[in-house]
C-alpha cells in the first residue's frame, strides 16, 4: 500500500514542491532510499552531501534546503524535517498497520482488585497485580509485569519484559549479614509515558517512585526506588539511576549514563553518554564526565597521571606561594 504526496501534505501540512500524484511505497533513509521511497534531511552541513546522492523519490527538507532539493526532484518543505518525519511515521502506521485491539490477552494474569481500563491492552503473558491500575489507551506488550499497587496513566506504552514495581534494593547491615527492608511504596507513572523493553522501575521503600507525564525511557534502564523523574525527560539505553534521585523536567541522559542516589538534577539538564553523575546539578546545561577512549598504553599513562593530580596541585600552590613571597620581598628591598 502506498501514499501519494498529496495525501501526506493534506494530513501533515508542509509545502509540496513536485508532483502531488507521486506515490511513495516506503519510508527510508537517504542512503538506502529508492525512487519509490520518501526520506528526510535534517539541517546539518555534514549531511548536505547526501541530498545530491540519494535516490529517494521525495525528500523532506528545511526551507534553507528547498532550492537544492527542488533541483533534484520532488520535496516537501517543513520547518522541522525531523518532526515532520516523526509524524509521517505515525501516519504510516495508522494507514498501513491494523490497530492493536483493546482487551486482555487470554494468557495474561490480572489479579482480583486490579483495574484495567476497557480501552487498554494487556498483552500475552503479562501480569497485573492486585490494586494496580492501567489507564485508558495504555498498551502493555508481551511479558510486562505491573506489580501490586502500581499505577500507569493514559496512553502509555510499556514494551516487552519491563517490570514495574519490583522490590527496591534495600538492606540493613547487621553482624555481617543483610536484613531486608520491605518495600512498602508503589510506582506512579503519568500519562503518555513510554518504557522500553526489559526496563525495571523499582517500587518505593515508603513513598512511591514517580515517573511524570511524557517521560521516555529506552531499553534496559534501571530506576531505583523512590526516584522522581520530571515530565518529558528522556533516557537512552542502559542508564542506571540509584534510589531517591530527583531528576527534573525536560532532561536527557545519554546511553549508559549513571546517576547516584539522593542527588537533585535541575530541569533542562543534559547528561552525555557514559557519564557518571556523582553530585547534584543545580543549573541547566550540558554535562559530561568520562575519560576519553585512547590507545590502551596511552590511556594507562594518563590514568596513572590522574592519580597524582592532587599532589601536583599542592606543589603548584606552594610554588605560587613562594613566588608571591619572593615578589613581596623584592618590592620591600627595592
Amino acid at each position: 500500500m502506498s501514499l501519494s504526496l498529496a495525501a501526506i501534505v493534506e494530513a501533515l501540512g508542509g509545502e509540496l514542491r513536485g508532483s502531488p500524484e507521486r506515490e511513495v511505497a516506503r519510508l527510508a533513509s537517504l542512503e538506502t532510499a529508492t525512487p519509490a521511497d520518501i526520506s528526510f534531511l535534517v539541517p546539518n552541513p555534514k549531511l548536505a552531501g547526501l541530498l545530491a546522492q540519494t535516490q529517494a523519490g521525495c525528500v523532506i527538507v528545511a526551507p534553507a534546503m528547498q532550492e537544492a532539493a527542488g533541483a533534484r526532484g520532488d520535496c516537501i518543505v517543513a520547518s522541522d524535517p525531523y518532526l515532520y518525519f516523526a509524524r509521517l511515521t505515525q501516519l504510516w502506521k495508522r494507514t498501513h498497520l491494523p490497530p492493536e485491539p483493546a482487551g486482555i490477552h487470554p494468557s495474561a494474569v490480572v489479579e482480583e482488585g486490579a483495574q484495567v481500563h476497557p480501552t487498554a491492552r494487556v498483552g500475552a503473558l503479562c501480569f497485573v497485580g492486585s490494586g494496580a491500575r492501567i489507564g485508558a489507551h495504555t498498551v502493555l506488550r508481551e511479558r510486562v509485569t505491573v506489580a501490586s499497587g502500581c499505577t500507569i496513566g493514559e496512553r502509555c506504552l510499556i514494551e516487552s519484559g519491563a517490570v514495574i514495581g519490583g522490590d527496591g534494593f534495600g538492606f540493613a547491615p547487621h553482624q555481617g549479614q543483610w536484613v531486608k527492608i520491605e518495600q512498602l511504596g508503589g510506582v506512579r507513572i503519568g500519562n503518555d509515558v513510554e518504557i522500553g523493553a526489559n526496563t525495571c522501575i523499582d517500587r518505593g521503600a515508603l513513598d512511591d517512585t514517580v515517573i511524570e507525564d511524557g517521560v521516555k525511557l529506552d531499553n534496559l534502564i534501571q530506576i531505583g526506588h523512590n526516584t522522581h523523574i520530571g515530565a518529558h525527560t528522556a533516557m537512552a539505553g542502559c542508564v542506571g539511576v540509584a534510589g531517591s534521585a530527583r531528576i527534573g523536567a525536560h532532561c536527557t541522559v545519554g546511553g549508559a549514563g549513571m546517576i547516584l542516589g539522593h542527588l537533585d538534577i535541575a530541569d533542562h539538564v543534559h547528561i552525555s553518554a557514559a557519564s557518571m553523575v556523582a553530585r547534584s546539578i543545580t543549573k541547566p546545561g550540558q554535562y559530561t564526565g568520562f575519560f576519553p577512549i585512547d590507545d590502551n598504553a596511552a590511556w594507562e599513562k594518563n590514568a596513572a597521571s590522574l592519580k597524582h593530580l592532587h599532589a601536583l596541585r599542592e606543589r603548584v600552590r606552594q610554588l605560587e606561594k613562594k613566588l608571591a613571597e619572593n615578589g613581596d620581598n623584592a618590592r620591600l628591598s627595592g
Side-chain angles (χ1 to χ4, degrees):
M1 181 179 176
S2 61
L3 279 178
S4 69
L5 295 184
I8 292 173
V9 172
E10 182 180 0
L12 303 178
E15 178 188 348
L16 173 60
R17 299 188 62 179
S19 171
E21 292 78 23
R22 176 186 285 276
E23 297 280 331
V24 291
R26 192 173 68 103
L27 281 57
S29 66
L30 288 169
E31 295 89 341
T32 63
T34 72
D37 301 335
I38 185 171
S39 188
F40 74 101
L41 176 67
V42 295
N44 184 336
K46 295 180 179 179
L47 302 178
L50 292 175
L51 183 60
Q53 301 170 14
T54 185
Q55 299 298 309
C58 180
V59 181
I60 304 162
V61 296
M65 298 297 295
Q66 62 181 321
E67 295 301 326
R72 65 161 295 279
D74 294 346
C75 67
I76 296 174
V77 182
S79 58
D80 187 339
Y82 192 51
L83 176 61
Y84 194 99
F85 193 77
R87 289 175 173 157
L88 178 56
T89 63
Q90 297 176 2
L91 173 64
W92 203 269
K93 182 177 180 179
R94 290 196 302 269
T95 56
H96 288 72
L97 299 176
E100 295 180 292
I104 300 170
H105 193 276
S107 66
V109 174
V110 178
E111 288 191 333
E112 184 176 355
Q115 300 177 32
V116 178
H117 194 277
T119 62
R121 173 174 170 77
V122 178
L125 302 174
C126 287
F127 174 84
V128 181
S130 175
R133 289 181 291 170
I134 311 297
H137 303 289
T138 283
V139 174
L140 309 186
R141 302 274 196 215
E142 302 78 10
R143 295 178 290 102
V144 170
T145 295
V146 181
S148 61
C150 296
T151 301
I152 300 178
E154 300 178 357
R155 300 176 302 279
C156 296
L157 175 60
I158 317 297
E159 295 285 359
S160 300
V163 178
I164 311 300
D167 272 3
F169 192 72
F171 299 89
H174 175 66
Q175 298 179 354
Q177 299 183 27
W178 298 101
V179 178
K180 182 175 178 59
I181 299 171
E182 295 296 341
Q183 305 294 289
L184 306 178
V187 175
R188 286 187 285 122
I189 295 175
N191 301 327
D192 303 299
V193 172
E194 294 198 17
I195 297 171
N198 294 322
T199 283
C200 296
I201 302 176
D202 291 345
R203 67 194 310 115
L206 296 175
D207 299 325
D208 292 342
T209 301
V210 177
I211 312 295
E212 291 189 6
D213 293 350
V215 169
K216 311 299 182 188
L217 302 180
D218 197 3
N219 302 333
L220 295 167
I221 288 176
Q222 165 64 30
I223 304 297
H225 59 184
N226 296 105
T227 293
H228 190 121
I229 300 179
H232 306 291
T233 283
M235 298 182 180
C238 297
V239 165
V241 181
S244 298
R246 294 188 63 87
I247 300 169
H250 302 282
C251 296
T252 60
V253 184
M258 296 289 149
I259 299 175
L260 300 189
H262 299 275
L263 300 182
D264 291 326
I265 308 297
D267 296 346
H268 298 283
V269 167
H270 306 289
I271 298 167
S272 299
S275 295
M276 186 182 77
V277 181
R279 61 176 175 83
S280 292
I281 299 175
T282 59
K283 296 180 180 180
Q286 181 78 41
Y287 293 82
T288 302
F290 58 87
F291 206 94
I293 193 169
D294 201 350
D295 171 81
N296 189 69
W299 185 91
E300 287 181 346
K301 292 177 182 178
N302 290 331
S305 298
L306 283 175
K307 295 181 179 179
H308 303 291
L309 282 179
H310 180 74
L312 179 61
R313 182 180 65 178
E314 293 303 313
R315 289 176 60 189
V316 170
R317 284 179 174 175
Q318 292 299 321
L319 286 172
E320 290 175 339
K321 182 178 179 181
K322 288 182 179 180
L323 287 171
E325 290 173 350
N326 290 338
D328 292 340
N329 293 334
R331 284 191 293 270
L332 290 172
S333 62

